[in-house]
Short mmCIF file of all heavy atoms in Angstrom, two decimals:
data_model
loop_
_atom_site.label_atom_id
_atom_site.label_comp_id
_atom_site.label_asym_id
_atom_site.label_seq_id
_atom_site.Cartn_x
_atom_site.Cartn_y
_atom_site.Cartn_z
N PRO A 116 -6.10 8.07 -3.26
CA PRO A 116 -7.02 6.93 -3.17
C PRO A 116 -7.51 6.41 -4.52
O PRO A 116 -7.71 5.20 -4.68
CB PRO A 116 -8.17 7.47 -2.32
CG PRO A 116 -8.10 8.95 -2.46
CD PRO A 116 -6.65 9.28 -2.61
N ALA A 117 -7.70 7.30 -5.49
CA ALA A 117 -8.14 6.84 -6.81
C ALA A 117 -7.07 5.96 -7.44
O ALA A 117 -7.36 4.94 -8.08
CB ALA A 117 -8.46 8.02 -7.71
N GLU A 118 -5.81 6.34 -7.26
CA GLU A 118 -4.72 5.56 -7.85
C GLU A 118 -4.44 4.29 -7.07
O GLU A 118 -4.03 3.27 -7.64
CB GLU A 118 -3.47 6.42 -7.97
CG GLU A 118 -3.63 7.61 -8.91
CD GLU A 118 -3.98 7.20 -10.34
OE1 GLU A 118 -3.76 6.03 -10.71
OE2 GLU A 118 -4.49 8.06 -11.08
N VAL A 119 -4.69 4.30 -5.76
CA VAL A 119 -4.62 3.06 -5.00
C VAL A 119 -5.64 2.06 -5.54
O VAL A 119 -5.36 0.88 -5.75
CB VAL A 119 -4.85 3.32 -3.49
CG1 VAL A 119 -5.10 2.01 -2.74
CG2 VAL A 119 -3.67 4.06 -2.89
N ARG A 120 -6.83 2.57 -5.81
CA ARG A 120 -7.90 1.70 -6.34
C ARG A 120 -7.54 1.19 -7.73
O ARG A 120 -7.85 0.05 -8.08
CB ARG A 120 -9.20 2.50 -6.39
CG ARG A 120 -10.41 1.70 -6.82
CD ARG A 120 -11.69 2.51 -6.69
NE ARG A 120 -11.75 3.65 -7.60
CZ ARG A 120 -11.74 4.92 -7.22
NH1 ARG A 120 -11.63 5.24 -5.94
NH2 ARG A 120 -11.82 5.89 -8.11
N ASN A 121 -6.88 2.02 -8.53
CA ASN A 121 -6.58 1.65 -9.91
C ASN A 121 -5.27 0.90 -10.06
O ASN A 121 -4.91 0.52 -11.18
CB ASN A 121 -6.53 2.92 -10.78
CG ASN A 121 -7.88 3.57 -10.92
OD1 ASN A 121 -8.91 2.93 -10.78
ND2 ASN A 121 -7.89 4.88 -11.18
N ALA A 122 -4.55 0.69 -8.96
CA ALA A 122 -3.23 0.07 -9.05
C ALA A 122 -3.06 -1.06 -8.04
O ALA A 122 -2.12 -1.04 -7.25
CB ALA A 122 -2.14 1.13 -8.84
N PRO A 123 -3.98 -2.05 -8.04
CA PRO A 123 -3.77 -3.18 -7.13
C PRO A 123 -2.42 -3.83 -7.39
O PRO A 123 -1.99 -3.98 -8.54
CB PRO A 123 -4.93 -4.13 -7.44
CG PRO A 123 -5.46 -3.70 -8.77
CD PRO A 123 -5.17 -2.24 -8.89
N GLU A 124 -1.73 -4.18 -6.30
CA GLU A 124 -0.31 -4.52 -6.37
C GLU A 124 0.07 -5.54 -7.45
O GLU A 124 1.11 -5.40 -8.10
CB GLU A 124 0.21 -5.03 -5.02
CG GLU A 124 -0.73 -5.05 -3.87
CD GLU A 124 -0.64 -3.81 -2.99
OE1 GLU A 124 -0.69 -2.69 -3.51
OE2 GLU A 124 -0.55 -3.98 -1.78
N LYS A 125 -0.76 -6.55 -7.63
CA LYS A 125 -0.37 -7.63 -8.54
C LYS A 125 -0.93 -7.44 -9.95
O LYS A 125 -0.69 -8.28 -10.82
CB LYS A 125 -0.82 -8.97 -7.94
CG LYS A 125 -0.16 -9.28 -6.60
CD LYS A 125 -0.68 -10.58 -6.00
CE LYS A 125 -0.06 -10.83 -4.63
NZ LYS A 125 -0.50 -9.86 -3.61
N LEU A 126 -1.66 -6.33 -10.17
CA LEU A 126 -2.13 -6.00 -11.52
C LEU A 126 -1.38 -4.78 -12.08
O LEU A 126 -1.02 -4.78 -13.25
CB LEU A 126 -3.63 -5.72 -11.50
CG LEU A 126 -4.54 -6.95 -11.44
CD1 LEU A 126 -6.00 -6.51 -11.31
CD2 LEU A 126 -4.37 -7.83 -12.67
N PHE A 127 -1.16 -3.78 -11.27
CA PHE A 127 -0.43 -2.59 -11.71
C PHE A 127 0.94 -2.98 -12.27
O PHE A 127 1.41 -2.43 -13.26
CB PHE A 127 -0.29 -1.63 -10.52
CG PHE A 127 0.47 -0.37 -10.80
CD1 PHE A 127 0.50 0.20 -12.07
CD2 PHE A 127 1.15 0.28 -9.78
CE1 PHE A 127 1.20 1.39 -12.31
CE2 PHE A 127 1.85 1.45 -10.01
CZ PHE A 127 1.88 2.01 -11.28
N VAL A 128 1.56 -3.97 -11.66
CA VAL A 128 2.89 -4.40 -12.10
C VAL A 128 2.89 -4.88 -13.54
O VAL A 128 3.91 -4.81 -14.24
CB VAL A 128 3.41 -5.49 -11.13
CG1 VAL A 128 2.62 -6.77 -11.29
CG2 VAL A 128 4.90 -5.73 -11.32
N LEU A 129 1.73 -5.32 -14.04
CA LEU A 129 1.65 -5.81 -15.42
C LEU A 129 1.82 -4.69 -16.45
O LEU A 129 2.00 -4.97 -17.64
CB LEU A 129 0.32 -6.51 -15.64
CG LEU A 129 0.09 -7.79 -14.83
CD1 LEU A 129 -1.33 -8.29 -15.01
CD2 LEU A 129 1.09 -8.86 -15.20
N ASP A 130 1.80 -3.44 -16.00
CA ASP A 130 2.09 -2.33 -16.91
C ASP A 130 3.56 -2.32 -17.34
O ASP A 130 3.93 -1.60 -18.26
CB ASP A 130 1.78 -0.99 -16.24
CG ASP A 130 0.28 -0.72 -16.13
OD1 ASP A 130 -0.51 -1.57 -16.59
OD2 ASP A 130 -0.09 0.34 -15.60
N PHE A 131 4.37 -3.14 -16.66
CA PHE A 131 5.81 -3.17 -16.93
C PHE A 131 6.27 -4.61 -17.18
O PHE A 131 7.12 -5.15 -16.47
CB PHE A 131 6.57 -2.56 -15.75
CG PHE A 131 6.07 -1.20 -15.35
CD1 PHE A 131 5.15 -1.06 -14.32
CD2 PHE A 131 6.51 -0.07 -16.01
CE1 PHE A 131 4.68 0.20 -13.95
CE2 PHE A 131 6.04 1.19 -15.65
CZ PHE A 131 5.12 1.33 -14.63
N PRO A 132 5.72 -5.26 -18.22
CA PRO A 132 6.01 -6.68 -18.44
C PRO A 132 7.48 -6.96 -18.70
O PRO A 132 7.97 -8.06 -18.41
CB PRO A 132 5.14 -7.04 -19.65
CG PRO A 132 4.91 -5.74 -20.35
CD PRO A 132 4.82 -4.73 -19.26
N GLU A 133 8.20 -5.98 -19.25
CA GLU A 133 9.61 -6.18 -19.54
C GLU A 133 10.45 -6.30 -18.27
O GLU A 133 11.60 -6.76 -18.32
CB GLU A 133 10.13 -5.03 -20.41
CG GLU A 133 10.31 -3.70 -19.70
CD GLU A 133 9.02 -2.90 -19.53
OE1 GLU A 133 7.93 -3.44 -19.82
OE2 GLU A 133 9.12 -1.72 -19.12
N LEU A 134 9.90 -5.91 -17.14
CA LEU A 134 10.63 -5.97 -15.88
C LEU A 134 10.29 -7.22 -15.07
O LEU A 134 10.93 -7.49 -14.04
CB LEU A 134 10.31 -4.73 -15.03
CG LEU A 134 10.56 -3.36 -15.68
CD1 LEU A 134 10.15 -2.25 -14.72
CD2 LEU A 134 12.02 -3.22 -16.09
N MET A 135 9.30 -7.98 -15.52
CA MET A 135 8.73 -9.07 -14.71
C MET A 135 9.16 -10.45 -15.21
O MET A 135 9.58 -10.60 -16.36
CB MET A 135 7.20 -9.01 -14.79
CG MET A 135 6.56 -7.77 -14.25
SD MET A 135 4.77 -7.92 -14.41
CE MET A 135 4.45 -9.30 -13.29
#
Side-chain angles (χ1 to χ4, degrees):
E118 296 300 341
V119 167
R120 184 174 66 246
N121 292 336
E124 357 265 50
K125 298 177 183 68
L126 283 175
F127 179 29
V128 69
L129 295 173
D130 286 0
F131 308 96
E133 73 279 9
L134 305 178
M135 298 181 65

